[in-house]
Each structure stands twice: as structure tokens, then as C-alpha cells.
Amino acid sequence: MSVEQLAAKSGCVSPNVQIDADELRQAICQTPRGRYTITSFATEKGKRDWLDSAQSYGGAYLVGNRWAVIASPDLLSSLHGQLGGQMETTQGH
């Protein structure tokens, strides 16, 4: 799914696109439920490389096919019902 499709499916009507590159697109969503970041990737390998790097900082991620959402664990739990994917939580260094 694209950033826009993920945003719409999650209830974010105005995603604020921060990065629009060939390898990834990233947008910030602010909804009554909270703030979260949606990233879509051109390839599954690109997603995995990005996650490997991002997870060194710790945090919670909802991860699907060529996309990831970053938010608080509670918000990700809520978004999981709408977007699917799987939850990943890591501790930073």
C-alpha cells in the first residue's frame, strides 16, 4: 500500500509527506487518536534495511508488506486492527 492508502485506511485525512524519494515515502499523521509516522518502501529489502537501522534506537513499529508505522505501542495496537501487519518492539542501544 502507498502512504496515502495507509493514511486513509488509518483515518488520517491529511498526511504530511516529509520524504518523497524513489526508495521510500514518509508522512506524518496527526489524528484525534495521536501522532504517527507512515513509511512505504519500493522494496522489501529497503524496508528491512531501514528497520534494522531504525530499531537500533528502540521503539515500536507496525510492519507490513513494504511499509512500517511508528507510534506509541498503544496507538499501534489500535492501528493494527485497521492496517494489519505485525508488531515489532525493540530496545535501543
Side-chain angles (χ1 to χ4, degrees):
M1 286 189 275
S2 71
V3 165
E4 290 79 9
Q5 290 169 321
L6 290 161
K9 199 168 183 181
S10 69
C12 175
V13 294
S14 298
N16 182 2
V17 176
Q18 301 290 304
I19 299 172
D20 189 1
D22 290 339
E23 63 276 359
L24 68 86
R25 294 189 77 228
Q26 189 171 71
I28 297 172
C29 286
Q30 181 69 50
T31 69
R33 293 189 302 180
R35 180 182 166 114
Y36 50 100
T37 302
I38 300 171
T39 307
S40 65
F41 303 88
T43 66
E44 190 65 22
K45 181 184 181 325
K47 177 193 81 177
R48 184 48 47 199
D49 290 346
W50 181 89
L51 275 171
D52 289 346
S53 176
Q55 288 179 343
S56 67
Y57 298 100
Y61 306 86
L62 180 61
V63 181
N65 183 28
R66 294 188 357 217
W67 59 265
V69 177
I70 306 164
S72 68
D74 289 342
L75 181 51
L76 289 179
S77 253
S78 171
L79 293 171
H80 181 255
Q82 295 171 287
L83 301 177
Q86 63 184 15
M87 300 279 292
E88 293 188 22
T89 304
T90 62
Q91 299 296 320
H93 295 293

